[in-house]
Amino acid sequence: MTDITDSDAPATMLAAQLSESGSIGNLRIVELPMPAPPDGWVRLKVMAFGLNRSEYHSVHGLAEGMTFPRILGIEASGVIDLDPEGILEPGTQAVTMMGGMGRLFDGGYAQYVVVPRTQIITFHSSLPWEVIGSVPETLQTAYGTLTTGLDLQPGQSLLVRGGTSALGLATAALAADMGCRVYATSRREAGLELLRSRGATPLLDDGKVAPRLREAEPSGVHTVLELVGVPTLRDSLAATAVHGTVCFSGMLSDSWTIPNFYPMDWIPNGVRLTTYSGQAQDLPAEVLQRTLDRIESGDLDLLPIHSYPLADIAQAHEDMASGRHMGKLVGLP
């Protein structure tokens, strides 16, 4: 196939670049040369990008394997700007995520991003870009957690620990859409009504949810999505039925390890403990398309969305760290 050049492309772009870890003050808007895709890679014109806890970890030195300076962002949504091999047409709507974005190579906090073609998922939608930008990585993790991590079946029960996070809200909405009984937690009273609006029975999280949950589900729930992390994991295990599953898919508390972990004391008889962390290839294109279609038709409401221009990326990170907003934060280059 004939190579395609980018002679009409701008010479530079704006991006949010982290000079070194340790402080949000090290994340600055800079003008950089337009990146060129090598063989097997494509360039995406970024229309929106989701903010994730992963980037918070990168800013504060909690991510491994990073080199600096680095453009952050583990996901992006936009249109194909350049595929040198001509496989993907310019203007094709696409999303990309993971695979080393924002850590091993420059990510989506930019006007353009260059990624391997293998981690591109195409779609078609007339939704606003801030809505589309809220979906990819959240949907990938929610879908993968429900299918691979938990093997949730229609009619079963699910507890979402950390329910007002973007991932928690999306997972609750998808599980309720499957006809499951969904319980979800929030540390704040203000989050309870939002959880209820996503089809979940809300529970105020004081660290000891299991006894109250078992009043509604005496045998325990079939599945638990653990997003808070180590501080609530033991209570989540105690809320789970025999042959039920707890899937560890998030660490909102930033507590990653369990000192002196004694499995036979922590894990009840017959309860399974799994994890999930996926890649772009783990989100089927038809699942992305179906989800966008259902959001557009009004049949599915995943997340409240809070958008920021690229220039306000530092404020967006401060809001993410403080938990000021419930739902998904989205950047608009």
Side-chain angles (χ1 to χ4, degrees):
M1 189 167 293
T2 304
D3 286 351
I4 296 176
T5 65
D6 60 342
S7 57
D8 295 329
T12 62
M13 69 170 188
L14 296 178
Q17 187 182 69
L18 186 67
S19 57
E20 59 181 338
S21 62
S23 168
I24 191 63
N26 297 330
L27 184 63
R28 301 181 181 92
I29 305 302
V30 296
E31 185 174 8
L32 297 171
M34 175 67 71
D39 290 346
W41 292 50
V42 300
R43 189 167 66 210
L44 189 75
K45 181 179 182 180
V46 180
M47 305 303 292
F49 58 85
L51 279 78
N52 297 277
R53 198 75 176 176
S54 172
E55 293 113 35
Y56 167 85
H57 293 156
S58 297
V59 168
H60 294 281
L62 302 174
E64 296 182 353
M66 289 191 67
T67 56
F68 299 98
R70 177 65 64 220
I71 300 172
L72 296 184
I74 65 168
E75 63 174 316
S77 303
V79 295
I80 297 298
D81 177 66
L82 175 65
D83 181 347
E85 297 175 55
I87 295 173
L88 295 175
E89 291 290 329
T92 301
Q93 291 180 301
V95 301
T96 185
M97 69 198 80
M98 305 298 285
M101 284 182 66
R103 291 191 175 182
L104 302 181
F105 59 90
D106 286 337
Y109 284 20
Q111 292 177 319
Y112 294 84
V113 65
V114 169
V115 298
R117 191 187 299 104
T118 54
Q119 67 182 63
I120 286 284
I121 309 172
T122 63
F123 66 93
H124 53 86
S125 177
S126 59
L127 284 167
W129 279 108
E130 59 265 31
V131 177
I132 295 171
S134 73
V135 172
E137 172 56 17
T138 300
L139 176 63
Q140 185 276 128
T141 308
Y143 174 79
T145 295
L146 291 176
T147 55
T148 301
L150 292 172
D151 192 25
L152 183 69
Q153 300 299 312
Q156 289 187 331
S157 52
L158 167 70
L159 168 64
V160 180
R161 203 70 183 258
T164 57
S165 65
L167 178 54
L169 289 165
T171 306
L174 292 175
D177 196 51
M178 292 172 59
C180 295
R181 301 187 305 284
V182 181
Y183 304 86
T185 69
S186 172
R187 293 177 300 162
R188 296 178 289 178
E189 292 277 357
L192 301 183
E193 185 55 40
L194 177 59
L195 295 174
R196 192 175 287 112
S197 74
R198 267 42 182 192
T201 298
L203 296 167
L204 192 64
D205 200 337
D206 60 358
K208 297 181 180 179
V209 169
R212 283 177 286 140
L213 184 63
R214 283 185 177 268
E215 293 175 5
E217 302 278 345
S219 297
V221 289
H222 295 103
T223 59
V224 179
L225 169 56
E226 178 58 75
L227 296 176
V228 176
V230 171
T232 56
L233 177 59
R234 193 168 189 175
D235 187 62
S236 293
L237 288 162
T240 309
V242 175
H243 299 153
T245 303
V246 177
C247 183
F248 201 120
S249 296
M251 297 172 290
L252 295 171
S253 66
D254 294 332
S255 295
W256 296 14
T257 60
I258 306 172
N260 303 315
F261 177 50
Y262 180 28
M264 293 189 70
D265 185 36
W266 274 64
I267 304 176
N269 289 341
V271 173
R272 304 176 179 95
L273 178 59
T274 68
T275 65
Y276 180 79
S277 177
Q279 302 290 328
Q281 295 87 339
D282 296 310
L283 177 60
E286 60 269 22
V287 172
L288 173 63
Q289 186 65 60
R290 183 171 66 246
T291 301
L292 293 173
D293 290 345
R294 298 202 67 216
I295 293 172
E296 189 165 1
S297 69
D299 292 331
L300 185 63
D301 188 4
L302 289 186
L303 305 164
I305 299 164
H306 308 276
S307 61
Y308 299 78
L310 182 63
D312 291 345
I313 192 66
Q315 182 62 55
H317 263 258
E318 290 174 2
D319 291 348
M320 178 167 58
S322 68
R324 179 181 177 187
H325 298 300
M326 292 177 285
K328 183 77 172 184
L329 308 188
V330 175
L332 301 174

